[in-house]
Amino acid sequence: MAETAVVGSTPFLWEGTDRNGKKIKGKSLASDEAAVRADLRRQGVVPTRIRKQPKSLFSGGGTITTGDIAIFSRQLATMLAAGIPLVQAFEIVGNGHENEAMQKLILGIKADVEGGSSLAEALAKQPLYFDDLFINLVEAGEQAGALETLLDKIATYKEKTEAIKKKIKKALTYPAAVLVVAFIVTTILLIFVIPSFEDLFKGFGADLPTFTRMVIDLSVFVRTQGWYIAFVIGAAAGAFFYFKKRSRKMRHFLDRLMLKIPVIGPIMQKASIARYARTLSTMFAAGVPLVEAMESVAGATGNIVYEEAVLTMRDEVATGQRLQQAMENTELFPNMVIQMIAVGEESGSLDDMSAKVADFYEEDVDNAVDNLSSLLEPLIMAVLGVLVGGLVVAMYLPIFKLGAVV
């Protein structure tokens, strides 16, 4: 049974009988129970029971991630490739989604399409979840009568970009998480464990080793000034994220700094090049003019330095300059990338050559992240050993010294 969709509404489960007296059941999205009853009567259904759908503890919750959009793109592309009509495909995908927010989004788009809007127009009403690139490609697919082909390209593009984002997050999150754990463990030792040893050492009646004295002084400082330190660190972190989100100059500084950090910098550069090439390939293959495509390509690079460079390239290409020369002028792209793009321009296969560049750099990022993880694991263990082991040694030095005297 078809499911109605009203954005911002509540899901209701219902049971009833159709015109033939057959028992049926389904789910509708509406503002209240009365609206569900009215809609079912219009469909010739006599409702016998209507209730709000209970929220599952294990549902996707109320947030929509870029991963959800990537999965939705692949599901829709698969449905259309199988010959399922667009509205029915939305109904199937929407009904089967566990994430309530995503379900409402999908069924809301379905309602717009049923109301006479094109798919591109319906997606454009949800700018938080569908960017210009997504909408432009869908529009191109609708105009060319090849929507399923373009949706397949979008799905592939989303899957590739999501995969590379996850790799970058993995490269940055793992060491950060371990260092945070090390900081917490060290703080706990300084606040709760070291004072016990300090009380024990007071009865020794002898001078403590310098290292032990330093650790005890650090423990006293953390215990007496810890709240102030925590406040300052919290305020600094809050200010950092506030200005990072709102200040383009700060984001530019941070993105440029990230590119210069040893080991991490090359990975970030390769990731930006991979996104640039993948987006360029997808847009050009869809028949989007190069100059028009460059704006979406710029936004997809994930780094302001590359974003501004691509926008400059767009202006140069618009004046008649070749893409190869515009890329050289930025001094941000390796020679191999420039030469492959040049070959693509000359042979009329820019989309294929860009896809090959993207494949190469995506694989390179995968390998670099794996190598970084292998390198960081022993390094992080060494840092943890020095921090925790150092505190333990500092506390046992006086005991060792006393034992030697005895």
Side-chain angles (χ1 to χ4, degrees):
M1 175 58 66
E3 175 175 335
T4 56
V6 181
V7 178
S9 56
T10 304
F12 288 87
L13 299 176
W14 54 262
E15 297 176 7
T17 55
D18 61 12
R19 292 185 177 91
N20 299 321
K22 181 181 177 182
K23 290 184 177 181
I24 56 174
K25 60 183 179 179
K27 180 167 60 176
S28 294
L29 293 174
S31 57
D32 53 33
E33 185 176 327
V36 178
R37 289 185 182 277
D39 184 63
L40 290 175
R41 289 195 182 97
R42 283 196 298 269
Q43 299 179 48
V45 177
V46 178
T48 57
R49 185 186 181 197
I50 299 176
R51 62 188 176 90
K52 288 185 178 181
Q53 181 182 7
K55 292 185 178 181
S56 170
L57 291 174
F58 305 101
S59 66
T63 59
I64 298 175
T65 66
T66 51
D68 290 327
I69 300 299
I71 293 172
F72 160 71
S73 304
R74 174 56 65 195
Q75 288 174 322
L76 191 59
T78 303
M79 294 280 184
L80 293 181
I84 297 174
L86 181 62
V87 172
Q88 188 178 350
F90 269 104
E91 183 177 331
I92 294 170
V93 175
N95 289 346
H97 219 291
E98 295 182 354
N99 186 330
E100 185 179 318
M102 191 67 189
Q103 185 182 85
K104 289 181 180 180
L105 174 67
I106 295 171
L107 295 175
I109 295 170
K110 174 199 163 209
D112 288 335
V113 172
E114 284 182 316
S117 299
S118 68
L119 179 56
E121 291 171 343
L123 295 176
K125 295 178 181 179
Q126 307 292 341
L128 288 177
Y129 310 114
F130 301 99
D131 54 20
D132 291 340
L133 183 149
F134 199 117
I135 295 167
N136 289 339
L137 290 180
V138 167
E139 186 176 13
E142 287 182 307
Q143 291 175 354
L147 182 58
E148 65 276 4
T149 303
L150 267 296
L151 279 171
D152 181 71
K153 290 184 181 296
I154 292 171
T156 301
Y157 167 77
K158 287 288 184 182
E159 289 163 354
K160 295 282 188 180
T161 52
E162 276 303 297
I164 202 167
K165 282 180 184 178
K166 288 179 180 177
K167 282 288 183 181
I168 296 300
K169 287 181 180 178
K170 177 184 175 183
L172 299 177
T173 303
Y174 176 69
V178 175
L179 290 176
V180 168
V181 171
F183 174 78
I184 293 173
V185 170
T186 302
T187 303
I188 291 173
L189 290 174
L190 289 173
I191 294 175
F192 299 105
V193 179
I194 303 301
S196 300
F197 282 92
E198 183 182 3
D199 294 337
L200 175 64
F201 296 154
K202 286 180 180 177
F204 277 17
D207 293 335
L208 297 175
T210 304
F211 186 33
T212 304
R213 187 71 261 165
M214 289 173 57
V215 171
I216 290 176
D217 289 343
L218 177 61
S219 173
V220 172
F221 177 76
V222 170
R223 279 178 285 149
T224 56
Q225 306 295 327
W227 290 111
Y228 299 106
I229 297 171
F231 174 78
V232 170
I233 293 175
F240 172 80
F241 287 111
Y242 177 86
F243 288 108
K244 180 178 182 292
K245 187 176 182 180
R246 289 165 175 78
S247 172
R248 187 173 179 86
K249 287 184 178 180
M250 185 172 182
R251 286 171 53 208
H252 189 284
F253 168 77
L254 292 173
D255 283 355
R256 185 171 292 278
L257 180 64
M258 287 294 290
L259 294 175
K260 294 180 179 180
I261 296 176
V263 183
I264 295 292
I267 294 178
M268 302 299 292
Q269 181 185 29
K270 292 171 184 176
S272 293
I273 293 173
R275 290 171 180 160
Y276 162 83
R278 179 65 63 193
T279 312
L280 180 63
S281 171
T282 304
M283 295 289 284
F284 203 75
V288 180
L290 182 59
V291 174
E292 184 180 334
M294 293 296 280
E295 187 164 351
S296 295
V297 173
T301 57
N303 186 292
I304 284 188
V305 176
Y306 275 88
E307 180 182 338
E308 293 180 348
V310 173
L311 290 176
T312 301
M313 288 161 51
R314 177 200 61 184
D315 296 338
E316 293 176 356
V317 170
T319 61
Q321 194 170 92
R322 293 182 61 186
L323 179 59
Q324 170 203 0
Q325 185 59 49
M327 289 173 64
E328 285 182 359
N329 295 341
T330 66
E331 299 181 353
L332 290 173
F333 295 91
N335 186 59
M336 184 201 79
V337 177
I338 295 172
Q339 293 306 317
M340 290 185 72
I341 294 297
V343 171
E345 282 188 295
E346 292 172 1
S347 62
S349 58
L350 183 59
D351 53 338
D352 290 336
M353 295 308 293
S354 297
K356 291 183 186 299
V357 171
D359 289 339
F360 175 82
Y361 275 93
E362 284 164 357
E363 185 176 355
D364 208 7
V365 169
D366 286 348
N367 294 333
V369 171
D370 291 338
N371 292 336
L372 179 61
S373 298
S374 301
L375 176 67
L376 285 176
E377 284 178 7
L379 184 62
I380 289 172
M381 293 303 294
V383 171
L384 284 173
V386 169
L387 284 175
V388 178
L391 294 178
V392 172
V393 169
M395 293 302 98
Y396 278 93
L397 273 178
I399 298 174
F400 294 153
K401 184 177 178 182
L402 181 62
V405 172
V406 173

